[in-house]
Every structure is written in C-alpha cells, then in structure tokens.
Amino acid sequence: MFVTANVVNSMNVAEINTYEQLRDLDADSDQLNSDIIKIASTVLGCDTNDINNIEVLKKGMTNRSFLFKALGQKYIMRIPGEGTDQLIDRKNEADVYRAISGRGLCDDPIYINRNNGYKITKFLENVRACDPNNESDVKKCIEVLKKFHSMKLKVNHSFDIYGQIDFYESLWNGSESMYPDYKETKENIFKLKRFIEEEPKIMCLTHIDAVPDNFLFYSDDNGEEKLQLTDWEYAGMQDPHVDIAMFCIYSLYDKKQIDKFIDIYFNNECSNNLRCKIYCYISICGLLWSNWCEYKSQFGVEFGEYSLRQYRYAKEYYRFATKLMKLKKV
C-alpha cells in the first residue's frame, strides 16, 4: 500500500450525485463509470452507496481525476488519460512508489493498480502548488529535490531521454512534425549526447517530472506547513540534474531565472561544465516534451504556449550549451 495528493480548484469542478450523471459528464469515454466506483468501495471497505460528493476535477496533462467522499474521509482517484497507456509503464510506476514508500517525500498511495494505473490517494485539505515565481517557494522545492537526490534510491528501470524522444516521435504514426526545422533541431540535440556521456554523474532514481505543479504545500494536523513531491509516473534511473532542467522549462523560465535556479541548487558553486550539462538537459528535455505534446495533439489535447516554448528551449539551449563547450576549449 502506498499516496499522493492533488489540488482542487473550485472553479474547475462539477458536482455529481449519481452514477448516471457521472457517465453523462464523460459520455465519450469509458474511463469514468460504475466499475470505478466499485473499485473504490472495495479498496476502502465500504458500500458503493457510501461513495458520494463526487467532483470531477479539471483534466491534467496526462490524467483525469475525481474527488469523492467515503465514510467521512475525502479521496482522489486518478484515471489515466487518452493515450497514456502508450506513455507510462504502470508496473514501473508502482515500483517507484515502493522505493519511496516511507521516505517522507509524499504520502503513500492507498491503492495503485500496476496494470491500468488507477490510483486512490487521501485528499489533503488546503493544498497549493509551488509558485515558480515565488523565491521562497522555489527554495523550499529545491531543498526537497536535494533531499530526494541525496537518498540515491535505486529501481530496476531507467528513463532514457533520447529513447523517449524517438519513441514519442514513433507515436505520430508517420506524421511530420509541425515544425519545419524539426529534423535539423533533432540532429543538433543528438549531437549533445557525447558531451553528456563524458560528464561525471551519479545515476539514481530521478523524478523526471519535478515541475512546480507537482510540489504541493499543505498544512498538517498541527497547522504546520509541509511540502511533498507528487506524481511519480515518469520516474526512473537517470542523472538527477535532469530534474533541475525539468523544473525550469515547465516554469517557462528565461535564462536569467534558470541560472539563478542552478545557483541556488548548487549554493553558487556550479562549475561551467556542470552548467553546460544542465543546459544540454534543458535542450534535450525541451524536445522531449515538444514531441510529447505533438503526440497528445492527436487526441485533441493542445498545450498552446507550453508546447511552443518547449521546442524553443530545444533550439536555444543547444546554442547556449555549445557556446559553453567552445569556451572550454579555449
């Protein structure tokens, strides 16, 4: 038994009181149905009639979730979104939750299905996500990241960024990228591989999706503010400095903000080589999520500026990284 939490925004919920309303709300999908209610009641040891106050939450970038109440306690159930079965290995995700269980990084899930990705977690009241433009928030998130990275946890699977770039591209089913210079950009990204491989690194469990939305602030029973890192779907063995890149590009930081984030993480002791490596990761991860967005667009899921900015990170930070490499050789 393992838990994460999600934020409920009252502007993005719709209350439903019957199974029929639940089906009507999501009539084009077979994901929200009475079978899910039965799963929840079985896991929690209650009758299906005890599942009430159901609120469908705003769809996330990968999943959809709903909030419900049972026997006086609120819970969130996660349902994988369209095409997610192509993107996430749920058995690997379950293994990650086992590795981090009891480590204080997040609550342990009450239920997680290794086959379909359904997950039930306790709901935390008064939760808010990290504000990437609030320095106090960011510093606290960095401390959590450093704590997690210092644990050097191990799992039996890795997250291959280059492999995932090719994989997401393969899911386009032969379609061309929306970007006319995609082929050149991808070739440049792959040129960074040799530099990264030659740089020293300590491979360990890395979150991969360590973005501001997944750092959740909440109050414990004593009213003390706590912070946890949630949503471990993509986590695997990797260079933990990838998490730095991911936080920055999801926050849509400019170069000044990125350099500041790096300096805070490394206590102003980041070498040029290390900074260059992180620039490489920003470039590579930018293309990774750009390809991911292009895949999701096949299901009518569009991310607007986020998608475009990821592609720009791929191009711009290739230039920043190669410029630092040239300076090294002088």
Side-chain angles (χ1 to χ4, degrees):
M1 295 298 194
F2 323 106
V3 180
T4 60
N6 277 309
V7 186
V8 175
N9 183 335
S10 60
M11 299 300 291
N12 295 314
V13 299
E15 183 162 349
I16 43 184
N17 300 300
T18 68
Y19 298 154
E20 289 71 27
Q21 287 175 318
L22 185 59
R23 293 192 190 96
D24 290 343
L25 186 69
D26 204 38
D28 61 341
S29 170
D30 62 358
Q31 300 218 46
L32 292 180
N33 53 46
S34 59
D35 288 342
I36 292 173
I37 303 297
K38 292 177 183 177
I39 291 172
S41 64
T42 299
V43 170
L44 299 174
C46 64
D47 190 85
T48 54
N49 292 326
D50 294 323
I51 307 292
N52 50 51
N53 294 338
I54 302 170
E55 297 177 350
V56 176
L57 308 183
K58 182 179 178 181
K59 291 183 181 179
M61 294 178 75
T62 303
N63 306 300
R64 60 183 63 189
S65 303
F66 67 92
L67 171 69
F68 65 93
K69 194 171 185 179
L71 305 178
Q73 172 68 51
K74 290 182 179 179
Y75 300 91
I76 287 179
M77 187 162 188
R78 179 193 72 187
I79 309 298
E82 297 89 344
T84 304
D85 57 331
Q86 296 269 21
L87 306 176
I88 307 294
D89 186 317
R90 296 301 175 183
K91 293 180 177 62
N92 286 347
E93 181 192 19
D95 289 342
V96 168
Y97 276 109
R98 184 172 293 107
I100 65 174
S101 178
R103 302 277 183 171
L105 296 167
C106 71
D107 293 338
D108 296 334
I110 294 171
Y111 169 80
I112 185 166
N113 188 303
R114 294 172 60 90
N115 297 313
N116 58 27
Y118 292 176
K119 183 177 70 168
I120 298 177
T121 67
K122 285 184 179 179
F123 172 72
L124 297 178
E125 300 283 355
N126 302 316
V127 177
R128 68 176 181 87
C130 164
D131 178 354
N133 296 308
N134 180 305
E135 186 170 337
S136 176
D137 276 10
V138 171
K139 286 182 176 179
K140 291 173 183 176
C141 292
I142 288 174
E143 288 306 309
V144 169
L145 262 188
K146 292 174 71 172
K147 172 187 173 183
F148 163 51
H149 294 160
S150 69
M151 293 177 183
K152 297 181 174 58
L153 302 177
K154 306 291 183 183
V155 291
N156 292 323
H157 66 276
S158 62
F159 188 91
D160 177 1
I161 302 176
Y162 280 105
Q164 290 298 113
I165 287 174
D166 283 333
F167 174 63
Y168 293 160
E169 183 182 326
S170 74
L171 297 179
W172 301 348
N173 295 320
S175 299
E176 295 291 326
S177 171
M178 64 182 289
Y179 302 106
D181 60 349
Y182 173 80
K183 183 177 180 180
E184 177 187 355
T185 300
K186 183 182 177 183
E187 288 176 352
N188 286 338
I189 297 306
F190 275 69
K191 290 176 184 176
L192 300 175
K193 189 174 183 179
R194 181 176 177 181
F195 174 83
I196 289 174
E197 290 177 345
E198 292 176 349
E199 285 300 296
K201 59 184 70 66
I202 299 175
M203 305 295 278
C204 64
L205 179 61
T206 300
H207 189 282
I208 304 298
D209 200 20
V211 304
D213 286 357
N214 287 334
F215 286 90
L216 303 180
F217 290 88
Y218 65 99
S219 298
D220 64 13
D221 294 338
N222 298 318
E224 182 180 352
E225 186 177 68
K226 300 288 187 179
L227 174 60
Q228 66 173 240
L229 180 55
T230 189
D231 287 352
W232 296 77
E233 293 175 301
Y234 294 95
M237 298 295 288
Q238 207 4 295
D239 181 346
H241 297 154
V242 166
D243 283 343
I244 297 173
M246 291 297 191
F247 188 101
C248 291
I249 65 177
Y250 189 90
S251 301
L252 304 182
Y253 280 168
D254 59 27
K255 189 172 183 297
K256 181 178 180 181
Q257 291 171 305
I258 287 173
D259 283 331
K260 184 174 183 179
F261 188 95
I262 293 171
D263 289 338
I264 294 173
Y265 185 98
F266 293 104
N267 298 316
N268 294 311
E269 296 180 353
C270 181
S271 67
N272 281 342
N273 274 27
L274 184 48
R275 193 179 302 271
C276 184
K277 184 183 72 170
I278 295 171
Y279 286 174
C280 288
Y281 286 142
I282 289 171
S283 177
I284 299 164
C285 293
L287 188 65
L288 172 76
W289 295 131
S290 176
N291 281 12
W292 182 86
C293 289
E294 291 207 60
Y295 166 66
K296 294 290 282 187
S297 70
Q298 296 180 7
F299 298 90
V301 183
E302 300 292 344
F303 299 105
E305 183 189 12
Y306 174 82
S307 179
L308 179 60
R309 289 289 293 274
Q310 298 313 304
Y311 190 70
R312 287 177 179 168
Y313 280 125
K315 296 173 64 173
E316 291 175 358
Y317 279 80
Y318 167 77
R319 293 195 293 269
F320 291 144
T322 52
K323 182 178 180 180
L324 265 185
M325 290 178 201
K326 290 176 182 176
L327 289 176
K328 280 176 50 190
K329 295 177 181 178
V330 175

PDB file of all heavy atoms in Angstrom, residues 2 78 84-85 87-99 112-118 155-157 232-235:
ATOM      1  N   PHE A   2       0.605   2.009  -0.919  1.00  0.00           N
ATOM      2  CA  PHE A   2       1.461   3.174  -0.947  1.00  0.00           C
ATOM      3  C   PHE A   2       0.658   4.435  -0.858  1.00  0.00           C
ATOM      4  O   PHE A   2      -0.443   4.519  -1.085  1.00  0.00           O
ATOM      5  CB  PHE A   2       2.295   3.285  -2.206  1.00  0.00           C
ATOM      6  CG  PHE A   2       2.769   2.005  -2.696  1.00  0.00           C
ATOM      7  CD1 PHE A   2       2.219   1.435  -3.799  1.00  0.00           C
ATOM      8  CD2 PHE A   2       3.749   1.370  -2.001  1.00  0.00           C
ATOM      9  CE1 PHE A   2       2.643   0.238  -4.208  1.00  0.00           C
ATOM     10  CE2 PHE A   2       4.176   0.187  -2.425  1.00  0.00           C
ATOM     11  CZ  PHE A   2       3.604  -0.380  -3.522  1.00  0.00           C
ATOM     12  N   ARG A  78      -7.311   8.670  -9.445  1.00  0.00           N
ATOM     13  CA  ARG A  78      -6.702   9.041 -10.722  1.00  0.00           C
ATOM     14  C   ARG A  78      -7.072   8.023 -11.786  1.00  0.00           C
ATOM     15  O   ARG A  78      -6.963   6.819 -11.573  1.00  0.00           O
ATOM     16  CB  ARG A  78      -5.183   9.088 -10.597  1.00  0.00           C
ATOM     17  CG  ARG A  78      -4.478   9.457 -11.896  1.00  0.00           C
ATOM     18  CD  ARG A  78      -3.001   9.187 -11.816  1.00  0.00           C
ATOM     19  NE  ARG A  78      -2.696   7.754 -11.839  1.00  0.00           N
ATOM     20  CZ  ARG A  78      -1.477   7.257 -11.647  1.00  0.00           C
ATOM     21  NH1 ARG A  78      -0.477   8.067 -11.365  1.00  0.00           N
ATOM     22  NH2 ARG A  78      -1.265   5.951 -11.714  1.00  0.00           N
ATOM     23  N   THR A  84      -2.444   7.536 -22.652  1.00  0.00           N
ATOM     24  CA  THR A  84      -1.451   7.432 -21.585  1.00  0.00           C
ATOM     25  C   THR A  84      -0.837   6.037 -21.502  1.00  0.00           C
ATOM     26  O   THR A  84       0.300   5.874 -21.080  1.00  0.00           O
ATOM     27  CB  THR A  84      -2.094   7.809 -20.235  1.00  0.00           C
ATOM     28  OG1 THR A  84      -2.654   9.107 -20.347  1.00  0.00           O
ATOM     29  CG2 THR A  84      -1.059   7.827 -19.125  1.00  0.00           C
ATOM     30  N   ASP A  85      -1.627   5.028 -21.923  1.00  0.00           N
ATOM     31  CA  ASP A  85      -1.100   3.670 -21.865  1.00  0.00           C
ATOM     32  C   ASP A  85       0.119   3.503 -22.760  1.00  0.00           C
ATOM     33  O   ASP A  85       0.941   2.603 -22.552  1.00  0.00           O
ATOM     34  CB  ASP A  85      -2.186   2.665 -22.260  1.00  0.00           C
ATOM     35  CG  ASP A  85      -2.757   2.933 -23.649  1.00  0.00           C
ATOM     36  OD1 ASP A  85      -2.761   4.096 -24.067  1.00  0.00           O
ATOM     37  OD2 ASP A  85      -3.199   1.966 -24.300  1.00  0.00           O
ATOM     38  N   LEU A  87       2.390   5.877 -22.993  1.00  0.00           N
ATOM     39  CA  LEU A  87       3.445   6.723 -22.436  1.00  0.00           C
ATOM     40  C   LEU A  87       4.003   6.236 -21.106  1.00  0.00           C
ATOM     41  O   LEU A  87       5.165   6.478 -20.800  1.00  0.00           O
ATOM     42  CB  LEU A  87       2.916   8.150 -22.249  1.00  0.00           C
ATOM     43  CG  LEU A  87       2.306   8.831 -23.482  1.00  0.00           C
ATOM     44  CD1 LEU A  87       1.758  10.191 -23.095  1.00  0.00           C
ATOM     45  CD2 LEU A  87       3.326   8.962 -24.590  1.00  0.00           C
ATOM     46  N   ILE A  88       3.165   5.588 -20.312  1.00  0.00           N
ATOM     47  CA  ILE A  88       3.549   5.255 -18.936  1.00  0.00           C
ATOM     48  C   ILE A  88       3.528   3.750 -18.720  1.00  0.00           C
ATOM     49  O   ILE A  88       2.564   3.066 -19.075  1.00  0.00           O
ATOM     50  CB  ILE A  88       2.576   5.898 -17.919  1.00  0.00           C
ATOM     51  CG1 ILE A  88       2.437   7.408 -18.165  1.00  0.00           C
ATOM     52  CG2 ILE A  88       3.041   5.619 -16.501  1.00  0.00           C
ATOM     53  CD1 ILE A  88       3.680   8.194 -17.917  1.00  0.00           C
ATOM     54  N   ASP A  89       4.593   3.222 -18.137  1.00  0.00           N
ATOM     55  CA  ASP A  89       4.630   1.831 -17.721  1.00  0.00           C
ATOM     56  C   ASP A  89       4.173   1.787 -16.268  1.00  0.00           C
ATOM     57  O   ASP A  89       4.902   2.202 -15.357  1.00  0.00           O
ATOM     58  CB  ASP A  89       6.048   1.262 -17.852  1.00  0.00           C
ATOM     59  CG  ASP A  89       6.116  -0.232 -17.575  1.00  0.00           C
ATOM     60  OD1 ASP A  89       5.472  -0.674 -16.607  1.00  0.00           O
ATOM     61  OD2 ASP A  89       6.822  -0.947 -18.304  1.00  0.00           O
ATOM     62  N   ARG A  90       2.952   1.328 -16.053  1.00  0.00           N
ATOM     63  CA  ARG A  90       2.364   1.380 -14.712  1.00  0.00           C
ATOM     64  C   ARG A  90       3.056   0.441 -13.731  1.00  0.00           C
ATOM     65  O   ARG A  90       3.067   0.694 -12.522  1.00  0.00           O
ATOM     66  CB  ARG A  90       0.873   1.073 -14.794  1.00  0.00           C
ATOM     67  CG  ARG A  90       0.090   2.106 -15.598  1.00  0.00           C
ATOM     68  CD  ARG A  90       0.223   3.502 -15.014  1.00  0.00           C
ATOM     69  NE  ARG A  90      -0.433   4.519 -15.849  1.00  0.00           N
ATOM     70  CZ  ARG A  90      -0.420   5.820 -15.592  1.00  0.00           C
ATOM     71  NH1 ARG A  90       0.209   6.271 -14.524  1.00  0.00           N
ATOM     72  NH2 ARG A  90      -1.011   6.660 -16.400  1.00  0.00           N
ATOM     73  N   LYS A  91       3.631  -0.630 -14.215  1.00  0.00           N
ATOM     74  CA  LYS A  91       4.376  -1.513 -13.319  1.00  0.00           C
ATOM     75  C   LYS A  91       5.615  -0.791 -12.792  1.00  0.00           C
ATOM     76  O   LYS A  91       5.963  -0.906 -11.612  1.00  0.00           O
ATOM     77  CB  LYS A  91       4.762  -2.805 -14.049  1.00  0.00           C
ATOM     78  CG  LYS A  91       3.584  -3.685 -14.421  1.00  0.00           C
ATOM     79  CD  LYS A  91       4.041  -4.945 -15.128  1.00  0.00           C
ATOM     80  CE  LYS A  91       2.847  -5.867 -15.427  1.00  0.00           C
ATOM     81  NZ  LYS A  91       1.859  -5.226 -16.338  1.00  0.00           N
ATOM     82  N   ASN A  92       6.281  -0.041 -13.670  1.00  0.00           N
ATOM     83  CA  ASN A  92       7.438   0.742 -13.229  1.00  0.00           C
ATOM     84  C   ASN A  92       7.027   1.799 -12.217  1.00  0.00           C
ATOM     85  O   ASN A  92       7.730   2.048 -11.230  1.00  0.00           O
ATOM     86  CB  ASN A  92       8.109   1.419 -14.431  1.00  0.00           C
ATOM     87  CG  ASN A  92       8.887   0.449 -15.299  1.00  0.00           C
ATOM     88  OD1 ASN A  92       9.141  -0.691 -14.904  1.00  0.00           O
ATOM     89  ND2 ASN A  92       9.272   0.891 -16.475  1.00  0.00           N
ATOM     90  N   GLU A  93       5.884   2.438 -12.466  1.00  0.00           N
ATOM     91  CA  GLU A  93       5.406   3.463 -11.537  1.00  0.00           C
ATOM     92  C   GLU A  93       5.161   2.861 -10.154  1.00  0.00           C
ATOM     93  O   GLU A  93       5.543   3.452  -9.130  1.00  0.00           O
ATOM     94  CB  GLU A  93       4.123   4.098 -12.067  1.00  0.00           C
ATOM     95  CG  GLU A  93       3.583   5.190 -11.141  1.00  0.00           C
ATOM     96  CD  GLU A  93       2.182   5.631 -11.486  1.00  0.00           C
ATOM     97  OE1 GLU A  93       1.470   4.881 -12.192  1.00  0.00           O
ATOM     98  OE2 GLU A  93       1.781   6.721 -11.035  1.00  0.00           O
ATOM     99  N   ALA A  94       4.536   1.688 -10.117  1.00  0.00           N
ATOM    100  CA  ALA A  94       4.277   1.033  -8.839  1.00  0.00           C
ATOM    101  C   ALA A  94       5.587   0.706  -8.126  1.00  0.00           C
ATOM    102  O   ALA A  94       5.695   0.839  -6.898  1.00  0.00           O
ATOM    103  CB  ALA A  94       3.456  -0.240  -9.052  1.00  0.00           C
ATOM    104  N   ASP A  95       6.591   0.307  -8.884  1.00  0.00           N
ATOM    105  CA  ASP A  95       7.900   0.013  -8.291  1.00  0.00           C
ATOM    106  C   ASP A  95       8.533   1.269  -7.692  1.00  0.00           C
ATOM    107  O   ASP A  95       9.211   1.213  -6.656  1.00  0.00           O
ATOM    108  CB  ASP A  95       8.834  -0.585  -9.339  1.00  0.00           C
ATOM    109  CG  ASP A  95       8.438  -2.004  -9.734  1.00  0.00           C
ATOM    110  OD1 ASP A  95       7.677  -2.638  -8.978  1.00  0.00           O
ATOM    111  OD2 ASP A  95       8.879  -2.460 -10.808  1.00  0.00           O
ATOM    112  N   VAL A  96       8.317   2.405  -8.350  1.00  0.00           N
ATOM    113  CA  VAL A  96       8.844   3.669  -7.822  1.00  0.00           C
ATOM    114  C   VAL A  96       8.188   3.995  -6.487  1.00  0.00           C
ATOM    115  O   VAL A  96       8.862   4.366  -5.520  1.00  0.00           O
ATOM    116  CB  VAL A  96       8.620   4.815  -8.829  1.00  0.00           C
ATOM    117  CG1 VAL A  96       8.896   6.175  -8.170  1.00  0.00           C
ATOM    118  CG2 VAL A  96       9.524   4.646 -10.049  1.00  0.00           C
ATOM    119  N   TYR A  97       6.861   3.852  -6.422  1.00  0.00           N
ATOM    120  CA  TYR A  97       6.176   4.134  -5.163  1.00  0.00           C
ATOM    121  C   TYR A  97       6.659   3.200  -4.047  1.00  0.00           C
ATOM    122  O   TYR A  97       6.728   3.590  -2.880  1.00  0.00           O
ATOM    123  CB  TYR A  97       4.662   4.036  -5.337  1.00  0.00           C
ATOM    124  CG  TYR A  97       4.056   5.311  -5.877  1.00  0.00           C
ATOM    125  CD1 TYR A  97       3.559   5.382  -7.167  1.00  0.00           C
ATOM    126  CD2 TYR A  97       4.008   6.462  -5.089  1.00  0.00           C
ATOM    127  CE1 TYR A  97       3.019   6.555  -7.668  1.00  0.00           C
ATOM    128  CE2 TYR A  97       3.477   7.640  -5.568  1.00  0.00           C
ATOM    129  CZ  TYR A  97       2.987   7.690  -6.866  1.00  0.00           C
ATOM    130  OH  TYR A  97       2.471   8.860  -7.348  1.00  0.00           O
ATOM    131  N   ARG A  98       7.006   1.997  -4.416  1.00  0.00           N
ATOM    132  CA  ARG A  98       7.543   1.078  -3.415  1.00  0.00           C
ATOM    133  C   ARG A  98       8.910   1.571  -2.922  1.00  0.00           C
ATOM    134  O   ARG A  98       9.224   1.500  -1.731  1.00  0.00           O
ATOM    135  CB  ARG A  98       7.659  -0.335  -4.017  1.00  0.00           C
ATOM    136  CG  ARG A  98       8.119  -1.387  -3.013  1.00  0.00           C
ATOM    137  CD  ARG A  98       8.036  -2.785  -3.595  1.00  0.00           C
ATOM    138  NE  ARG A  98       6.660  -3.192  -3.825  1.00  0.00           N
ATOM    139  CZ  ARG A  98       6.084  -3.292  -5.015  1.00  0.00           C
ATOM    140  NH1 ARG A  98       6.760  -3.012  -6.095  1.00  0.00           N
ATOM    141  NH2 ARG A  98       4.832  -3.658  -5.126  1.00  0.00           N
ATOM    142  N   ALA A  99       9.714   2.097  -3.848  1.00  0.00           N
ATOM    143  CA  ALA A  99      11.057   2.564  -3.489  1.00  0.00           C
ATOM    144  C   ALA A  99      11.019   3.787  -2.582  1.00  0.00           C
ATOM    145  O   ALA A  99      11.865   3.951  -1.708  1.00  0.00           O
ATOM    146  CB  ALA A  99      11.862   2.870  -4.756  1.00  0.00           C
ATOM    147  N   ILE A 112      -2.899   1.358  -5.840  1.00  0.00           N
ATOM    148  CA  ILE A 112      -2.372   1.630  -7.173  1.00  0.00           C
ATOM    149  C   ILE A 112      -2.405   0.335  -7.961  1.00  0.00           C
ATOM    150  O   ILE A 112      -1.943  -0.709  -7.490  1.00  0.00           O
ATOM    151  CB  ILE A 112      -0.952   2.240  -7.119  1.00  0.00           C
ATOM    152  CG1 ILE A 112      -0.487   2.612  -8.523  1.00  0.00           C
ATOM    153  CG2 ILE A 112       0.041   1.325  -6.431  1.00  0.00           C
ATOM    154  CD1 ILE A 112       0.746   3.515  -8.531  1.00  0.00           C
ATOM    155  N   ASN A 113      -3.007   0.385  -9.126  1.00  0.00           N
ATOM    156  CA  ASN A 113      -3.137  -0.791  -9.974  1.00  0.00           C
ATOM    157  C   ASN A 113      -1.976  -0.827 -10.956  1.00  0.00           C
ATOM    158  O   ASN A 113      -1.801   0.084 -11.761  1.00  0.00           O
ATOM    159  CB  ASN A 113      -4.471  -0.747 -10.727  1.00  0.00           C
ATOM    160  CG  ASN A 113      -4.760  -2.035 -11.475  1.00  0.00           C
ATOM    161  OD1 ASN A 113      -3.973  -2.479 -12.306  1.00  0.00           O
ATOM    162  ND2 ASN A 113      -5.905  -2.641 -11.186  1.00  0.00           N
ATOM    163  N   ARG A 114      -1.169  -1.873 -10.892  1.00  0.00           N
ATOM    164  CA  ARG A 114       0.029  -1.985 -11.719  1.00  0.00           C
ATOM    165  C   ARG A 114      -0.294  -2.192 -13.199  1.00  0.00           C
ATOM    166  O   ARG A 114       0.597  -2.064 -14.047  1.00  0.00           O
ATOM    167  CB  ARG A 114       0.887  -3.164 -11.236  1.00  0.00           C
ATOM    168  CG  ARG A 114       1.471  -2.995  -9.856  1.00  0.00           C
ATOM    169  CD  ARG A 114       2.141  -4.282  -9.377  1.00  0.00           C
ATOM    170  NE  ARG A 114       3.233  -4.691 -10.262  1.00  0.00           N
ATOM    171  CZ  ARG A 114       4.494  -4.306 -10.118  1.00  0.00           C
ATOM    172  NH1 ARG A 114       4.813  -3.487  -9.114  1.00  0.00           N
ATOM    173  NH2 ARG A 114       5.432  -4.731 -10.939  1.00  0.00           N
ATOM    174  N   ASN A 115      -1.537  -2.511 -13.504  1.00  0.00           N
ATOM    175  CA  ASN A 115      -1.894  -2.802 -14.890  1.00  0.00           C
ATOM    176  C   ASN A 115      -2.537  -1.625 -15.614  1.00  0.00           C
ATOM    177  O   ASN A 115      -2.194  -1.332 -16.759  1.00  0.00           O
ATOM    178  CB  ASN A 115      -2.830  -4.012 -14.943  1.00  0.00           C
ATOM    179  CG  ASN A 115      -2.157  -5.266 -14.414  1.00  0.00           C
ATOM    180  OD1 ASN A 115      -1.022  -5.571 -14.778  1.00  0.00           O
ATOM    181  ND2 ASN A 115      -2.838  -5.989 -13.538  1.00  0.00           N
ATOM    182  N   ASN A 116      -3.462  -0.939 -14.952  1.00  0.00           N
ATOM    183  CA  ASN A 116      -4.168   0.143 -15.642  1.00  0.00           C
ATOM    184  C   ASN A 116      -3.869   1.536 -15.098  1.00  0.00           C
ATOM    185  O   ASN A 116      -4.330   2.532 -15.657  1.00  0.00           O
ATOM    186  CB  ASN A 116      -5.684  -0.099 -15.635  1.00  0.00           C
ATOM    187  CG  ASN A 116      -6.244  -0.218 -14.223  1.00  0.00           C
ATOM    188  OD1 ASN A 116      -5.697   0.323 -13.272  1.00  0.00           O
ATOM    189  ND2 ASN A 116      -7.354  -0.932 -14.084  1.00  0.00           N
ATOM    190  N   GLY A 117      -3.119   1.624 -14.003  1.00  0.00           N
ATOM    191  CA  GLY A 117      -2.725   2.933 -13.492  1.00  0.00           C
ATOM    192  C   GLY A 117      -3.739   3.619 -12.607  1.00  0.00           C
ATOM    193  O   GLY A 117      -3.516   4.751 -12.161  1.00  0.00           O
ATOM    194  N   TYR A 118      -4.873   2.979 -12.308  1.00  0.00           N
ATOM    195  CA  TYR A 118      -5.817   3.589 -11.382  1.00  0.00           C
ATOM    196  C   TYR A 118      -5.138   3.738 -10.024  1.00  0.00           C
ATOM    197  O   TYR A 118      -4.427   2.837  -9.570  1.00  0.00           O
ATOM    198  CB  TYR A 118      -7.067   2.717 -11.217  1.00  0.00           C
ATOM    199  CG  TYR A 118      -7.947   2.627 -12.443  1.00  0.00           C
ATOM    200  CD1 TYR A 118      -9.068   1.810 -12.447  1.00  0.00           C
ATOM    201  CD2 TYR A 118      -7.660   3.345 -13.594  1.00  0.00           C
ATOM    202  CE1 TYR A 118      -9.894   1.711 -13.565  1.00  0.00           C
ATOM    203  CE2 TYR A 118      -8.474   3.249 -14.712  1.00  0.00           C
ATOM    204  CZ  TYR A 118      -9.580   2.439 -14.693  1.00  0.00           C
ATOM    205  OH  TYR A 118     -10.384   2.341 -15.797  1.00  0.00           O
ATOM    206  N   VAL A 155      15.953   1.788  -8.631  1.00  0.00           N
ATOM    207  CA  VAL A 155      14.881   0.951  -9.157  1.00  0.00           C
ATOM    208  C   VAL A 155      15.463   0.161 -10.324  1.00  0.00           C
ATOM    209  O   VAL A 155      16.610   0.400 -10.737  1.00  0.00           O
ATOM    210  CB  VAL A 155      13.653   1.779  -9.603  1.00  0.00           C
ATOM    211  CG1 VAL A 155      12.936   2.391  -8.418  1.00  0.00           C
ATOM    212  CG2 VAL A 155      14.063   2.870 -10.603  1.00  0.00           C
ATOM    213  N   ASN A 156      14.682  -0.731 -10.878  1.00  0.00           N
ATOM    214  CA  ASN A 156      15.204  -1.602 -11.929  1.00  0.00           C
ATOM    215  C   ASN A 156      14.927  -1.109 -13.344  1.00  0.00           C
ATOM    216  O   ASN A 156      15.131  -1.850 -14.306  1.00  0.00           O
ATOM    217  CB  ASN A 156      14.619  -3.017 -11.769  1.00  0.00           C
ATOM    218  CG  ASN A 156      15.135  -3.696 -10.521  1.00  0.00           C
ATOM    219  OD1 ASN A 156      16.295  -3.537 -10.135  1.00  0.00           O
ATOM    220  ND2 ASN A 156      14.267  -4.449  -9.859  1.00  0.00           N
ATOM    221  N   HIS A 157      14.476   0.115 -13.477  1.00  0.00           N
ATOM    222  CA  HIS A 157      14.236   0.659 -14.808  1.00  0.00           C
ATOM    223  C   HIS A 157      14.815   2.070 -14.882  1.00  0.00           C
ATOM    224  O   HIS A 157      14.998   2.740 -13.864  1.00  0.00           O
ATOM    225  CB  HIS A 157      12.737   0.690 -15.127  1.00  0.00           C
ATOM    226  CG  HIS A 157      11.960   1.638 -14.265  1.00  0.00           C
ATOM    227  ND1 HIS A 157      11.498   1.289 -13.002  1.00  0.00           N
ATOM    228  CD2 HIS A 157      11.565   2.927 -14.465  1.00  0.00           C
ATOM    229  CE1 HIS A 157      10.858   2.313 -12.474  1.00  0.00           C
ATOM    230  NE2 HIS A 157      10.874   3.321 -13.333  1.00  0.00           N
ATOM    231  N   TRP A 232       4.673  10.509  -9.671  1.00  0.00           N
ATOM    232  CA  TRP A 232       5.949   9.844  -9.979  1.00  0.00           C
ATOM    233  C   TRP A 232       5.851   8.943 -11.204  1.00  0.00           C
ATOM    234  O   TRP A 232       6.604   7.970 -11.323  1.00  0.00           O
ATOM    235  CB  TRP A 232       6.393   9.042  -8.754  1.00  0.00           C
ATOM    236  CG  TRP A 232       6.683   9.908  -7.556  1.00  0.00           C
ATOM    237  CD1 TRP A 232       5.779  10.486  -6.717  1.00  0.00           C
ATOM    238  CD2 TRP A 232       7.971  10.304  -7.078  1.00  0.00           C
ATOM    239  NE1 TRP A 232       6.423  11.209  -5.744  1.00  0.00           N
ATOM    240  CE2 TRP A 232       7.778  11.118  -5.937  1.00  0.00           C
ATOM    241  CE3 TRP A 232       9.279  10.031  -7.502  1.00  0.00           C
ATOM    242  CZ2 TRP A 232       8.822  11.671  -5.221  1.00  0.00           C
ATOM    243  CZ3 TRP A 232      10.329  10.577  -6.785  1.00  0.00           C
ATOM    244  CH2 TRP A 232      10.106  11.384  -5.654  1.00  0.00           C
ATOM    245  N   GLU A 233       4.976   9.243 -12.128  1.00  0.00           N
ATOM    246  CA  GLU A 233       4.723   8.374 -13.276  1.00  0.00           C
ATOM    247  C   GLU A 233       5.948   8.139 -14.163  1.00  0.00           C
ATOM    248  O   GLU A 233       6.139   7.053 -14.705  1.00  0.00           O
ATOM    249  CB  GLU A 233       3.606   8.959 -14.143  1.00  0.00           C
ATOM    250  CG  GLU A 233       2.253   8.977 -13.475  1.00  0.00           C
ATOM    251  CD  GLU A 233       1.222   9.666 -14.327  1.00  0.00           C
ATOM    252  OE1 GLU A 233       1.418  10.853 -14.662  1.00  0.00           O
ATOM    253  OE2 GLU A 233       0.224   9.019 -14.684  1.00  0.00           O
ATOM    254  N   TYR A 234       6.736   9.174 -14.361  1.00  0.00           N
ATOM    255  CA  TYR A 234       7.862   9.080 -15.294  1.00  0.00           C
ATOM    256  C   TYR A 234       9.182   8.716 -14.603  1.00  0.00           C
ATOM    257  O   TYR A 234      10.204   8.543 -15.274  1.00  0.00           O
ATOM    258  CB  TYR A 234       8.046  10.408 -16.041  1.00  0.00           C
ATOM    259  CG  TYR A 234       6.896  10.750 -16.960  1.00  0.00           C
ATOM    260  CD1 TYR A 234       5.855  11.577 -16.535  1.00  0.00           C
ATOM    261  CD2 TYR A 234       6.841  10.239 -18.247  1.00  0.00           C
ATOM    262  CE1 TYR A 234       4.803  11.888 -17.369  1.00  0.00           C
ATOM    263  CE2 TYR A 234       5.794  10.544 -19.094  1.00  0.00           C
ATOM    264  CZ  TYR A 234       4.771  11.374 -18.651  1.00  0.00           C
ATOM    265  OH  TYR A 234       3.722  11.673 -19.484  1.00  0.00           O
ATOM    266  N   ALA A 235       9.172   8.632 -13.299  1.00  0.00           N
ATOM    267  CA  ALA A 235      10.419   8.466 -12.543  1.00  0.00           C
ATOM    268  C   ALA A 235      11.159   7.187 -12.926  1.00  0.00           C
ATOM    269  O   ALA A 235      10.560   6.160 -13.238  1.00  0.00           O
ATOM    270  CB  ALA A 235      10.121   8.464 -11.044  1.00  0.00           C
TER     271      ALA A 235
END
